[in-house]
Amino acid sequence: MRKRKAGFATQSIHVGQYPDPSTGAVAVPIFATSTYVQQELGKNKGYEYARVSNPTRTRLEENLAALEGGIGAKVFASGMAAVNALATLLKAGDHVVCGHDLYGGVPRLFNQVWANFGLEFTYVDTTDPANVKQALRKNTRMVYIETPTNPLMTISDIRAIADICHARRAELVVDNTFMSPYFQKPLALGADMVMHSTTKFLNGHSDGLGGVIVCTRPDQVEKLAFLQKAAGAILSPFECWLILRGVKTLAVRMEQHDVNGRIVAAFLAGHKRVKKVFYPGLAEHPQHELAKRQMTGFGALITFETGSLANAKKMLKKVRVCTLGESLGGVETLISHPATMTHAALGEKGRKKIGITDGLVRISVGIEDVEDIIADLDNALAGL
Ligand SMILES: *Cc1c(COP(=O)(O)O)cnc(C)c1O
């Protein structure tokens, strides 16, 4: 029999998650230690101090690298700490091209922190790869995109943008938080690095923060490992363990998120109080064909237009199964109002520029019984 490569679910349960060599513990232990004994000067078992490395963290990094098809991964204290680590790979005078509707924390970090240290940023609509090409400069070192975007669910062509980057020695980083490696593999499409807020689907249970960068080259891994040691924004062993536990069910959770997502999107699209639905799985989504080509599922994030701030407010007050709150990717359905929550910092003008209206509501569809989610939404929409 030919040796076959383990499938996604098998890898998520077993890569890095082998029984502990010292005790046989099947679950990866939480190595709660700050330091490690040295047998004699200069002799140890590969671990010296926990900011530099920790076995729970090493196991998680092995696991996440495998799931994205990378050669290595480094985890950080949050998604934003991971993005910050990426920025520190650059130097003053370097230029970065970014999507114009990134997760709000990313432009906040770039414009209010890193611009002060001489990094330059240009924001373009990356749904047209020609905009990326046009924005490239001699000093462009990185292109940073999200696909699908939050909250409008626009899709960018990863392969086309990767080709543009590589013709000009710029690295492409893709924030793959929304799809998870289960539905989208940016590295296989030519991206140089993948970033995740593990806080979302990878952990999946809304109980811990984390971030990861998955790499395609050893020099990237080395630089990020150096940053863990030098800057110290590492992920705690407990948080690493939560994610190791969470990823074991990533495949089944994503399948159910996707099934429920499609059903809820169809329900909303057919509801007379809903003006518009943004979901890549709907045939009327402007990039439905690209979404089908580039992703193997459509996921759980749906945004819809209620028509006004008053309508959004009214329905969000009435939901019971859906939990009003920021974040996404947990087993529970989370519902939010981009204009006053995740995208408040953009200001009215900034929101208008990218099409975020006061009536938009975003749902991260959970894995509850979908009939209960729909009944809850139906009830909340009834009064509009
Ligand atoms: C949440 C999120 C982040 C930031 O991650 P934190 O873990 O909250 O720091 C970045 N990108 C996307 C797409 C996110 O959803």
Side-chain angles (χ1 to χ4, degrees):
M1 208 170 81
R2 257 195 326 147
K3 197 163 180 234
R4 67 169 249 123
K5 187 173 179 293
F8 187 94
T10 308
Q11 290 190 50
S12 75
I13 294 167
H14 294 291
V15 178
Q17 311 226 45
Y18 44 85
D20 178 52
S22 61
T23 60
V26 167
V28 175
I30 302 170
F31 285 89
T33 188
S34 58
T35 190
Y36 306 86
V37 64
Q38 314 208 356
Q39 281 74 47
E40 56 180 273
L41 279 183
K43 202 171 156 203
N44 58 58
K45 300 191 172 192
Y47 292 92
E48 290 167 4
Y49 187 65
R51 172 158 32 76
V52 182
S53 52
N54 177 287
T56 317
R57 197 166 97 211
T58 308
R59 304 282 206 97
L60 175 63
E61 291 173 339
E62 281 174 31
N63 184 280
L64 297 182
L67 297 188
E68 281 288 359
I71 62 133
K74 288 287 145 193
V75 293
F76 294 89
S78 67
M80 288 317 304
V83 180
N84 193 60
L86 279 174
T88 58
L89 297 176
L90 303 168
K91 58 181 194 310
D94 286 349
H95 175 240
V96 183
V97 175
C98 311
H100 73 161
D101 54 350
L102 296 176
Y103 175 79
V106 175
R108 179 173 58 206
L109 172 68
F110 287 171
N111 300 340
Q112 296 183 45
V113 179
W114 285 104
N116 298 333
F117 292 86
L119 297 189
E120 296 166 19
F121 302 94
T122 303
Y123 298 89
V124 297
D125 177 357
T126 57
T127 57
D128 183 355
N131 292 337
V132 176
K133 195 169 180 180
Q134 212 169 29
L136 292 181
R137 298 188 204 151
K138 256 209 175 78
N139 56 339
T140 307
R141 289 288 161 266
M142 190 181 282
V143 172
Y144 185 98
I145 67 168
E146 241 171 73
T147 178
T149 59
N150 176 23
L152 295 173
M153 305 302 292
T154 62
I155 313 280
S156 294
D157 188 332
I158 297 172
R159 190 180 289 284
I161 295 174
D163 289 346
I164 290 168
C165 292
H166 297 155
R168 298 283 295 273
R169 284 188 45 235
E171 291 203 298
L172 175 62
V173 180
V174 178
D175 181 337
N176 200 26
T177 301
F178 272 28
M179 279 301 116
S180 91
Y182 187 70
F183 284 137
Q184 180 167 272
K185 296 231 175 41
L187 300 182
L189 297 167
D192 299 282
M193 285 183 270
V194 159
M195 176 268 165
H196 278 277
S197 165
T198 64
T199 311
K200 317 296 167 54
F201 290 103
L202 290 176
N203 178 312
H205 295 74
S206 306
D207 53 11
L209 295 182
V212 65
I213 309 288
V214 186
C215 305
T216 52
R217 297 193 318 265
D219 65 294
Q220 297 164 334
V221 183
E222 263 167 49
K223 283 179 196 160
L224 291 168
F226 173 77
L227 277 165
Q228 288 181 326
K229 173 165 86 175
I234 51 145
L235 194 59
S236 79
F238 176 65
E239 244 83 14
C240 290
W241 177 82
L242 280 177
I243 301 163
L244 279 166
R245 188 180 204 264
V247 289
K248 289 182 186 177
T249 55
L250 184 64
V252 287
R253 282 189 285 111
M254 292 313 291
E255 282 294 336
Q256 197 59 46
H257 277 298
D258 189 63
V259 167
N260 286 6
R262 289 172 202 235
I263 296 171
V264 171
F267 161 77
L268 289 168
H271 200 286
K272 62 180 187 300
R273 308 267 182 223
V274 174
K275 315 276 186 277
K276 190 166 177 188
V277 180
F278 301 82
Y279 182 67
L282 294 173
E284 60 263 33
H285 185 283
Q287 293 140 324
H288 180 60
E289 290 307 314
L290 172 59
K292 277 203 292 194
R293 218 166 51 237
Q294 175 166 289
M295 295 149 33
T296 52
F298 300 117
L301 285 142
I302 306 170
T303 298
F304 61 98
E305 180 58 67
T306 61
S308 67
L309 178 62
N311 278 350
K313 245 184 171 162
K314 216 160 149 186
M315 84 153 288
L316 290 171
K317 204 175 163 189
K318 278 177 82 177
V319 289
R320 290 294 172 267
V321 178
C322 304
T323 304
L324 176 59
E326 299 204 358
S327 201
L328 58 108
V331 291
E332 57 287 289
T333 298
L334 286 168
I335 195 160
S336 67
H337 183 243
T340 59
M341 294 166 72
T342 49
H343 293 69
L346 277 182
E348 209 174 315
K349 250 192 173 154
R351 285 194 296 276
K352 199 167 172 196
K353 207 165 134 196
I354 55 174
I356 300 174
T357 63
D358 288 350
L360 282 185
V361 169
R362 190 197 72 190
I363 323 180
S364 170
V365 179
I367 61 171
E368 300 97 337
D369 293 297
V370 72
E371 298 79 10
D372 293 326
I373 302 169
I374 285 179
D376 191 43
L377 289 171
D378 199 29
N379 181 54
L381 285 164
L384 304 192

